[in-house]
Amino acid sequence: MDFDGIFRGELDVLHEGGNYRVFAELERQAGQFPRASRFVNDFDYEVTVWCSNDYLGMGQHAKVSAAMHTALSRCGAGAGGTRNISGTNRYHALLEDELADLHNKEAALLFTSGYVSNSTTLATLGSRINNCVIFSDEMNHASMIEGIRYSKAEKCIWKHNSPEDLDHKLSQYSPHVPKIVAFESVYSMDGDIAPIKAICEVADRHGALTYLDEVHAVGMYGPRGGGIAEREGLTDQITVIEGTLGKAYGVMGGYIASSGLLCDFVRSFAPGFIFTTALPPTIAAGAIASVQHLKHSCLERQQHFERVQLVKRELDARGIPYVRNPSHIIPVLVGDAAKCKWISDFLLDNHGIYLQPINHPTVPKGTERLRITPTPLHSDIEINRLVSALDDLWSQCALSRAVA
């Protein structure tokens, strides 16, 4: 069997369609975010990062770095194994307490990433609750889809952000059937926000458990950074809130926050928790510092909102089309995979602007885009440089412009 031929053929398809991913070799500069060093053939030069999920720059925050240094000196580098074997480090327990408090829940449970917390929790709930049916928004993240698939529970896909379609789908099942409604608050590719209140009302009428992915919202929204559910006063209507520590909190890890009983259930039956080495104490310590800071500081969120609005105004002034949404994510529409990749490469090679293309299968064909994520640390000069470069490239590529 020519396995190499199989691999080469599949990779050739990606190359031909402009969908082959090339990873830039970057080194973030401590204290200089959003600037980074790019390495090419043993040479390096400075670039400005415009697509990081470190939305608030907390990965560079002095409090976070100091907490990690302290934990390193106290506990060493690693966790030593799974929590089942090596025990729960004090930093893990403190972080779970902080996260439970953040979402006004009884308990929280840590995982090694947001992907793992989604896939593991949904797989565990779906497989351990007899005859469970999971109702999944059609735009849910791959981690949620994987968890649902792995659970082998019956699944029902409902139209994106449509409480009406969800209500219709739920009504097809007996009130005695266990149901889970899984959806996101902020969807990362279009930046749209779910009608959480209406979805929860529908789920409640049908006695369904609600599972809300807030990975692109925690730290970003709400008076303490508890996400869209906190901002809209709906935290108590959500059964399970899932979040990440690797985006707005600038570190690494994922978690769920829920009742003590549900967290204990997942802790006791989830292979993705039981058999995985725990987060290093240094990471947990940095996350504690980040969560605590953003609970009490609104400055980063205010500055971030101002930067987002400025980028949108500058794009509007030049007719650069982007998906209109109420969130912090700015998807600039190119609509062609090859051009999207070419623009991204040109920005990096000629302007020192790092902005990754988002192509199929992450987004549907014909909706290829550049996903801009401004931070509070992007200056007016950097914003002007980005938008001016896009303006020139839009003309070079003869791309359609938005009508004012």
Side-chain angles (χ1 to χ4, degrees):
M1 178 62 69
D2 181 14
F3 288 107
D4 283 351
I6 295 173
F7 303 149
R8 191 175 296 110
E10 291 298 311
L11 290 171
D12 286 344
V13 171
L14 292 179
H15 281 287
E16 292 165 5
N19 296 320
Y20 182 76
R21 293 179 172 91
V22 177
F23 296 156
E25 186 177 344
L26 302 178
E27 183 178 277
R28 284 155 57 101
Q29 301 172 3
Q32 298 298 316
F33 185 77
R35 286 169 289 285
S37 295
R38 181 196 181 197
F39 292 86
V40 180
N41 299 326
D42 295 326
F43 293 95
D44 68 277
Y45 60 93
E46 187 176 275
V47 298
T48 301
V49 177
W50 276 101
C51 52
S52 173
N53 284 341
D54 187 359
Y55 294 134
L56 301 177
M58 291 301 294
Q60 307 280 303
H61 198 282
K63 289 182 181 179
V64 175
S65 297
M68 295 180 75
H69 280 291
T70 298
L72 181 63
S73 64
R74 291 181 60 181
C75 303
T82 68
R83 289 168 67 174
N84 182 53
I85 291 176
S86 297
T88 289
N89 187 278
R90 178 62 174 159
Y91 286 110
H92 297 144
L94 292 174
L95 178 53
E96 287 175 340
D97 288 344
E98 285 290 341
L99 294 168
D101 172 77
L102 175 67
H103 296 293
N104 195 30
K105 298 295 185 184
E106 291 178 351
L109 188 65
L110 280 174
F111 296 85
T112 50
S113 74
Y115 193 103
V116 173
S117 55
N118 259 339
S119 61
T120 298
T121 302
L122 285 168
T124 302
L125 293 174
S127 63
R128 303 292 304 194
I129 300 173
N130 289 334
N131 302 315
C132 180
V133 180
I134 302 179
F135 296 79
S136 178
D137 185 289
E138 67 180 339
M139 297 301 289
N140 275 344
H141 190 263
S143 58
M144 302 174 79
I145 295 169
E146 181 190 347
I148 295 167
R149 182 185 299 120
Y150 189 79
S151 76
K152 295 184 171 59
E154 182 180 349
K155 66 178 178 181
C156 182
I157 310 301
W158 47 286
K159 293 178 183 177
H160 180 51
N161 281 348
S162 173
E164 297 79 14
D165 190 56
L166 174 62
D167 188 36
H168 173 71
K169 297 286 174 59
L170 284 165
S171 66
Q172 307 301 306
Y173 292 81
S174 164
H176 304 294
V177 172
K179 307 172 188 69
I180 298 174
V181 173
F183 62 110
E184 302 179 41
S185 59
V186 178
Y187 287 83
S188 63
M189 288 300 108
D190 284 344
D192 53 330
I193 295 176
I196 298 175
K197 187 175 188 296
I199 291 171
C200 287
E201 288 173 348
V202 169
D204 187 58
R205 282 201 300 272
H206 294 274
L209 179 155
T210 48
Y211 182 100
L212 177 63
D213 174 329
E214 288 253 47
V215 296
H216 292 278
V218 290
M220 304 291 294
Y221 301 92
R224 301 196 308 156
I228 300 296
E230 184 198 33
R231 186 188 72 178
E232 299 181 4
L234 299 170
T235 301
D236 62 336
Q237 297 186 37
I238 307 294
T239 313
V240 183
I241 293 177
E242 185 269 347
T244 185
L245 303 166
K247 293 183 170 59
Y249 292 120
V251 194
M252 178 185 176
Y255 66 90
I256 60 169
S258 188
S259 68
L261 192 61
L262 187 144
C263 287
D264 192 25
F265 181 83
V266 174
R267 181 191 69 86
S268 300
F269 292 109
F273 175 84
I274 296 169
F275 299 107
T276 300
T277 297
L279 285 175
T282 50
I283 298 294
I288 291 169
S290 187
V291 172
Q292 287 178 339
H293 177 79
L294 291 176
K295 278 182 180 179
H296 299 98
S297 174
C298 293
L299 179 62
E300 290 81 6
R301 288 187 283 275
Q302 292 171 350
Q303 291 176 335
H304 179 266
F305 177 77
E306 292 168 0
R307 298 289 87 187
V308 170
Q309 294 306 112
L310 178 57
V311 172
K312 288 182 176 180
R313 288 198 300 272
E314 292 297 320
L315 291 172
D316 284 336
R318 292 165 174 82
I320 306 297
Y322 62 91
V323 178
R324 307 285 168 161
N325 63 55
S327 77
H328 58 285
I329 295 167
I330 307 176
V332 171
L333 294 173
V334 178
D336 180 279
K339 288 183 179 179
C340 198
K341 178 69 168 60
W342 184 85
I343 290 172
S344 173
D345 291 343
F346 194 91
L347 287 171
L348 185 58
D349 294 337
N350 296 278
H351 294 278
I353 292 172
Y354 179 62
L355 185 57
Q356 276 290 79
I358 308 294
N359 290 340
H360 179 78
T362 306
V363 295
K365 290 182 179 180
T367 69
E368 293 83 3
R369 64 198 61 187
L370 301 165
R371 181 178 174 274
I372 300 174
T373 54
T375 75
L377 303 175
H378 282 98
S379 68
D380 287 0
I381 292 174
E382 287 165 334
I383 291 173
N384 181 263
R385 186 182 301 131
L386 167 70
V387 179
S388 295
L390 287 174
D391 187 29
D392 290 340
L393 290 170
W394 237 250
S395 297
Q396 287 186 44
C397 293
L399 292 169
S400 298
R401 294 188 182 258
V403 178

